[in-house]
Amino acid sequence: QVQVVESGGGLVQAGGSLRLSCAASGSIFSLNAMGWYRQAPGKQRELVAVITSGGSTNYGDSVKGRFTISRDNAKNTVYLQMNSLKPEDTGVYYCNARLLVRHWSPEYDYWGQGTQVTVSS
């Protein structure tokens, strides 16, 4: 009953930009944080960026200075602006929502299906 849906992926040349969007919907009492993780073929999933409901951010080392995460709390939506893209940024980008379904429930992570980002050289 909680849905997390990403959009905005695609094919872009090195040096270009993309903006990803992710919306969480359904039974949500409290959305504590949203973020982006990515996974390239043959590699483990890694942190890209996370933002809390209060606006604190955390970025993976490989994207610092190039990517910016932001959110619209009213819409339960998070954005990832990706600039100066490199071929090594290629992968499936997954949106994560850390939330409470009820005020008494434990915090839980919900994941989107992923959106493909391909950066050509």
Side-chain angles (χ1 to χ4, degrees), residues 1-119:
Q1 56 188 12
V2 175
Q3 296 81 42
V4 179
V5 181
E6 309 98 329
S7 63
L11 175 64
V12 65
Q13 292 184 340
S17 298
L18 284 173
R19 189 166 98 133
L20 306 183
S21 299
C22 174
S25 62
S27 181
I28 301 173
F29 174 78
S30 178
L31 184 57
N32 296 332
M34 297 185 74
W36 294 92
Y37 297 75
R38 69 186 183 190
Q39 188 167 24
K43 302 186 69 175
Q44 66 180 14
R45 188 174 299 186
E46 65 176 344
L47 168 71
V48 177
V50 172
I51 187 167
T52 70
S53 60
S56 298
T57 59
N58 187 32
Y59 293 91
D61 290 340
S62 63
V63 307
K64 289 180 179 177
R66 299 187 297 120
F67 292 7
T68 303
I69 189 169
S70 61
R71 69 185 296 172
D72 184 337
N73 288 341
K75 297 180 179 180
N76 289 339
T77 299
V78 65
Y79 307 94
L80 184 69
Q81 180 65 48
M82 304 185 293
N83 298 325
S84 302
L85 283 162
K86 305 174 182 179
E88 50 262 46
D89 294 318
T90 294
V92 179
Y93 284 67
Y94 296 92
C95 180
N96 169 263
R98 179 164 291 182
L99 55 86
L100 303 178
V101 175
R102 300 286 186 269
H103 73 278
W104 46 261
S105 66
E107 197 173 59
Y108 195 81
D109 286 344
Y110 291 84
W111 293 89
Q113 292 298 116
T115 185
Q116 177 70 42
V117 172
T118 303
V119 184

